[in-house]
Amino acid sequence: MLELNGITAGYDRRAPVFRGARLTLAPGESVGLLGPSGCGKSTLARVAALLHRPDAGRYVLDGTEIRAWRHRAPRELRTAVGVVFQQPRTAADPRLTLADLIAEPLRATGRGAEAAARVADLAPTVGLTPELLSRRPHAVSDGQLQRACLARALSLRPRWLICDEMTAMLDASTTAALVAAVETYRAGTGAGLLAVGHDRVLLERWCDRTVEWKDCLTGGDER
Amino acid sequence: MTGNVLRALEAVTAERAGTALLSVRGLTVRFRLSGGRTVDAVSDADLDLVPGECLALVGESGCGKSVLASALLGLLPANAETTGTALLAGPDGTGPTDLLAAGEKTLARTVRGRRVGLVPQSPAAHLTPVRTVRAHLEETVRALTGVPRRERRARAEEAAERAAFPATHLDRHPHELSGGLAQRAATALALIGDARLLLADEPTTGLDRDLVDRTADELRRHVDEGRALLLITHDLAAAERIADRVAVMYAGRIVETAPAHRFFGPAGPRHPYARGLLDALPERAFTPIPGMPPELTALPDGCAFAPRCPRATDLCGTRPEPRAAVACHHPEHPRA
Ligand code: SF4
């Protein structure tokens, strides 16, 4: 269960981006969070991904209340959530090959020994060839780099996946391929999904249900 | 297809070229890389655009569509080699200009902004952060028109109005604008020179759907006023909304050109790649095309789509020449 309750967050305590947001996902459920750009839904996604400390509110993930964010968050919770952002260029270290990029979370958690095997497993599921894995970000397209960023998010086998406008910059076929990769992973692991975006047609097709951002703010997310 | 039909189609194409505002033939762009490798970014592209028409050039990122646009504006880096012709009709019946042969001086002084207006991909990057929208507009009026100083203010306000940019926001700086208003400011700038040809490079990327619709509709309005619009986009919904014709690009080649109503309608496109692209949409089958596009440094001799194509045969090892605007040995039959 992923439970966000009364979350207030922003980048300036005196002027939060939003107040009192609420959203609940059942285990293994996929939810599309719909809202216009700049509304704050990406900030809520960052809170859910343990990357942004809210100013107020309660976040309970699989029964554990979160009290620390970013690198202070307990490792077993950090590794339970994978996240993919809109802009692969800003989310990827330009010095790493795609293979090293995908293995980054494994190395960071002291599991570097598993890296080669895990990368070899993941690459075909996101459509990356061995040749592409040896390249650095500047030598691949946005779509190929986003495939690597998705594989990176899946490398620790998270129970939850958070996709923030993952496909907003991509063409129709790459979008469908990435969504298929996410769904294959979920079918195999039972992971839950929070997909944040503004494309209603896409999220309604992709997710079990969709939630309007404005309903998150008024507590209308009753199921 | 019978010879008669083909001849009729060719006659239509020839007629279109005769009245075209922009007529591109055999446009090829290669980049030389160190180590003797070359990137075949655009190969042998033909297209025509008549006044009052919107042609959408669609394809995935890296397919060459933005390179094609940059070639038309003379904005390619120095290691690019360009061949072919791109004739832009002259103003008031004067002779055409070949955009690919014209020097940088001609392009800078008489073409960019004056005869071809560019609606850029990211308006925020296009606007200088320290200047207001009004200052941008007045400066562009000064640079592009002979309007005397005292009339510049009025001309700038007119341009803003034509692009539906609100007069109340003219004194704001770019960072104080929403994405939609920044896009309109950039469009207003593109319209100042009164160019008959507009070139929009991914004008809707990253915008919300209703803003995409509004931006697209505004561009359409300029087409309905008699301008020609080359819309470069990976957003098929935006293309469907405003295009009269669609050209699909794959691995640097235009593989199909079709009227938008047929392309998006029940008949559907005839090239297997174009059909795959449409079927990937979440409102359609939502199934991806297997695999990925080939590297532009290592294109095969035959059809570049063959490794991903469900209809490929041995014949596809030789390059399919366009027939009736479809470059495929085994085009799909109309769905309806
Ligand atoms: S030429 Fe052959 S491989 Fe290429 S698109 Fe047509 S059928 Fe497919």
Side-chain angles (χ1 to χ4, degrees):
Chain A
M1 203 73 157
L2 188 159
E3 301 160 274
L4 291 154
N5 232 312
I7 302 285
T8 296
Y11 303 90
D12 174 354
R13 264 184 172 277
R14 289 157 303 178
V17 181
F18 58 85
R19 287 175 200 277
R22 170 192 164 138
L23 184 66
T24 305
L25 276 70
E29 186 184 30
S30 63
V31 173
L33 176 56
L34 276 164
S37 59
C39 69
K41 64 189 193 300
S42 289
T43 305
L44 186 68
R46 292 179 65 84
V47 171
L50 303 171
L51 293 172
H52 185 91
R53 186 186 183 87
D55 299 333
R58 208 171 122 84
Y59 178 18
V60 179
L61 184 62
D62 298 326
T64 308
E65 177 163 5
I66 309 292
R67 296 176 190 283
W69 268 261
R70 302 180 66 90
H71 54 278
R72 288 194 196 85
R75 176 178 288 178
E76 65 277 12
L77 288 174
R78 258 190 293 151
T79 59
V81 188
V83 57
V84 189
F85 300 104
Q86 176 173 353
Q87 291 279 3
R89 300 271 156 211
T90 54
D93 184 336
R95 294 164 302 181
L96 298 181
T97 63
L98 299 200
D100 288 336
L101 189 78
I102 296 170
E104 227 182 354
L106 286 161
R107 301 223 163 89
T109 49
R111 291 162 58 188
E114 298 165 43
R118 185 77 183 123
V119 171
D121 271 358
L122 278 167
T125 68
V126 295
L128 289 174
T129 59
E131 196 273 325
L132 284 167
L133 289 174
S134 66
R135 296 200 206 171
R136 288 174 220 284
H138 71 86
V140 300
S141 69
D142 284 354
Q144 290 164 341
L145 190 55
Q146 191 67 304
R147 288 168 191 260
C149 288
L150 173 59
R152 174 176 63 182
L154 301 180
S155 63
L156 296 174
R157 295 191 177 82
R159 291 193 299 278
W160 297 95
L161 189 63
I162 308 218
C163 298
D164 184 10
E165 298 276 17
M166 176 175 75
T167 62
M169 317 291 286
L170 305 177
D171 64 277
S173 180
T174 310
T175 296
L178 284 177
V179 167
V182 167
E183 289 310 303
T184 305
Y185 173 77
R186 293 184 54 237
T189 58
L193 168 73
L194 175 60
V196 175
H198 63 261
D199 188 336
R200 177 177 304 278
V201 179
L202 172 68
L203 292 187
E204 284 181 352
R205 179 75 186 253
W206 180 3
C207 301
D208 297 335
R209 65 183 172 107
T210 57
V211 175
E212 303 291 329
W213 172 246
K214 59 179 192 315
D215 294 332
C216 282
L217 295 183
T218 52
D221 173 38
E222 304 301 344
R223 281 170 305 138
Chain B
M1 191 162 317
T2 69
N4 280 344
V5 176
L6 271 182
R7 269 194 299 281
L9 277 167
E10 269 152 27
V12 172
T13 312
E15 187 189 320
R16 189 178 270 290
T19 54
L21 181 61
L22 176 71
S23 185
V24 176
R25 287 293 173 275
L27 172 56
T28 297
V29 181
R30 295 190 203 302
F31 296 103
R32 294 241 173 259
L33 303 181
S34 54
R37 289 185 310 151
T38 53
V39 176
D40 294 299
V42 179
S43 302
D44 213 10
D46 293 353
L47 55 88
D48 294 302
L49 203 52
V50 301
E53 178 184 56
C54 169
L55 173 67
L57 184 59
V58 303
E60 47 209 290
S61 80
C63 73
K65 57 194 193 308
S66 288
V67 172
L68 188 152
S70 301
L72 297 179
L73 292 166
L75 295 175
L76 290 174
N79 66 336
E81 289 170 10
T82 308
T83 55
T85 57
L87 299 181
L88 177 67
D92 309 319
T94 56
T97 307
D98 183 354
L99 298 176
L100 304 182
E104 170 58 23
K105 225 184 210 167
T106 309
L107 292 171
R109 288 197 190 154
T110 70
V111 174
R112 290 198 293 263
R114 291 182 164 86
R115 290 169 63 194
V116 184
L118 174 69
V119 181
Q121 172 159 14
S122 74
H126 204 71
L127 302 168
T128 314
V130 294
R131 304 170 71 198
T132 63
V133 175
R134 185 189 301 282
H136 276 102
L137 290 168
E138 288 185 2
E139 166 56 27
T140 307
V141 170
R142 188 194 65 74
L144 292 184
T145 66
V147 171
R149 176 184 285 271
R150 58 195 146 69
E151 289 170 32
R152 275 183 211 149
R153 189 178 170 96
R155 276 300 268 288
E157 289 176 358
E158 271 168 38
E161 197 181 317
R162 267 191 295 167
F165 185 92
T168 47
H169 287 54
L170 276 170
D171 293 310
R172 301 222 177 154
H173 290 87
H175 70 267
E176 297 170 306
L177 301 176
S178 66
L181 285 187
Q183 187 55 260
R184 286 189 205 177
T187 307
L189 287 169
L191 293 174
I192 285 176
D194 213 16
R196 291 169 67 208
L197 174 63
L198 293 178
L199 214 153
D201 188 2
E202 300 280 6
T204 58
T205 296
L207 300 182
D208 294 339
R209 181 50 54 194
D210 30 331
L211 216 52
V212 168
D213 290 350
R214 236 184 312 143
T215 304
D217 291 350
E218 281 163 18
L219 287 169
R220 181 68 221 185
R221 197 159 48 80
H222 304 305
V223 174
D224 292 337
E225 285 165 5
R227 288 177 228 276
L229 170 64
L230 180 59
L231 171 70
I232 292 170
T233 187
H234 72 264
D235 183 344
L236 294 168
E240 177 169 11
R241 196 168 173 95
I242 64 166
D244 299 296
R245 285 187 306 133
V246 181
V248 182
M249 211 162 179
Y250 185 75
R253 285 184 188 271
I254 294 179
V255 295
E256 177 165 7
T257 308
H261 65 84
R262 175 162 74 68
F263 190 89
F264 292 108
R270 303 200 59 208
H271 194 282
Y273 170 68
R275 202 164 275 204
L277 205 55
L278 269 189
D279 282 342
L281 286 171
E283 58 268 49
R284 300 193 184 215
F286 205 31
T287 44
I289 304 168
M292 278 188 274
E295 295 299 320
L296 298 177
T297 48
L299 290 177
D301 293 334
C303 174
F305 189 58
R308 308 173 72 184
C309 182
R311 297 173 75 85
T313 64
D314 289 347
L315 190 56
C316 305
T318 56
R319 175 172 314 136
E321 294 303 327
R323 286 181 96 230
V326 183
C328 174
H329 290 300
H330 314 293
E332 310 253 8
H333 300 292
R335 282 199 245 234

